[in-house]
Amino acid sequence: MAGITPLTYQILLALADGDGHGYGIIKEIEQRSGSASAPSTGALYLALQRMEGEGLIEEAPRRPEDDARRRYYRLSAKGRQRAEQESTHLAVLVAAARDKKLIVGGAS
Amino acid sequence: MTKWLVETLLGFAPIEFRRSHGEELLAVHDERAAAQRNPLTGVLFALREVLGALVLIVRLHVGLGDDNHREGGEATMFETTTQDVRFAIRTLARSPGFTWVAVTVLARGIGANTAIFSAVNAFFFRPLPFADADRLVMLYETNPEFGWDDVTAAPANMFDLQEQVEAFEDVSAYSEFANEYTAF
């Protein structure tokens, strides 16, 4: 994945369909890839801070009914564009892998 | 203990990071810790959290490369933890001064915590090594003539108490000091 890390992509993916908070992002990564693949809490927040700095994500409005410490994040226009680029790139790679019979037992 | 370690390490993070993400990070850590059900994965989780926090503060200060070291593919929690340990060692080795300070503070903190726990455990929680410990009483002597209270009983008086006072099932003595007797 050129220029983007798996964790960055996982976070972009988690926020692609709406605002999310740190714990929600981790739960989604766990559900998709298994609990062993979920980052440590420190690694997640290091990535979130960096992604905010790069303009890939931005803070979304907090929800009054929720824990006051909880911040929500959402994709910026740049983040969505980056997620689309990487997803297209990955789709091309996966299609090539499928043609070469490298995907065993997965969905066709 | 894990939360204390993560919180202590977070204290080393730049103030801007602590203000923007500190409380939230700890809240997420709490939620994840509370969700641990298996003791083994709980220990691995705790280890990864502490290592992750250690790497976080080092990289917030010195900014070392990419933030995602993990290989793709399926991994067990143990394999992931091993990767985390290797990554942490590599990261920390590149910043030995900062690592030394952080680890020293942690070691002192753990030592202090352990000492306090040992004392609290010994005084308040661990039962005395006697049957019916709640029926034990401590006997002292007084000497109004000299105005002495709570005086340690002389050995001869202890033997008198043992033989003559029927209020107690038994009487014994102890010394607060460890004595070593050597025969010549």
Side-chain angles (χ1 to χ4, degrees), chain B residues 76-129:
Chain B
T76 64
M77 183 68 92
F78 183 75
E79 287 164 345
T80 312
T81 308
T82 309
Q83 288 171 12
D84 284 347
V85 169
R86 284 202 301 267
F87 178 72
I89 290 170
R90 282 202 303 273
T91 305
L92 301 178
R94 281 183 251 167
S95 179
F98 194 88
T99 302
W100 186 84
V101 172
V103 170
T104 302
V105 169
L106 279 182
R108 285 170 182 269
I110 292 169
N113 264 315
T114 306
I116 291 167
F117 173 78
S118 301
V120 169
N121 184 43
F123 281 110
F124 296 108
F125 299 116
R126 192 169 58 203
L128 290 167

Side-chain angles (χ1 to χ4, degrees), chain A residues 59-89:
Chain A
E59 188 167 2
R62 297 188 188 216
R63 299 179 186 180
E65 73 278 8
D66 212 340
D67 187 332
R69 296 172 298 179
R70 187 166 269 173
R71 291 175 69 192
Y72 280 80
Y73 304 91
R74 66 181 169 208
L75 290 189
S76 63
K78 182 181 175 185
R80 181 164 295 280
Q81 187 184 25
R82 192 65 181 275
E84 288 169 358
Q85 285 172 350
E86 294 298 332
S87 299
T88 306
H89 176 66

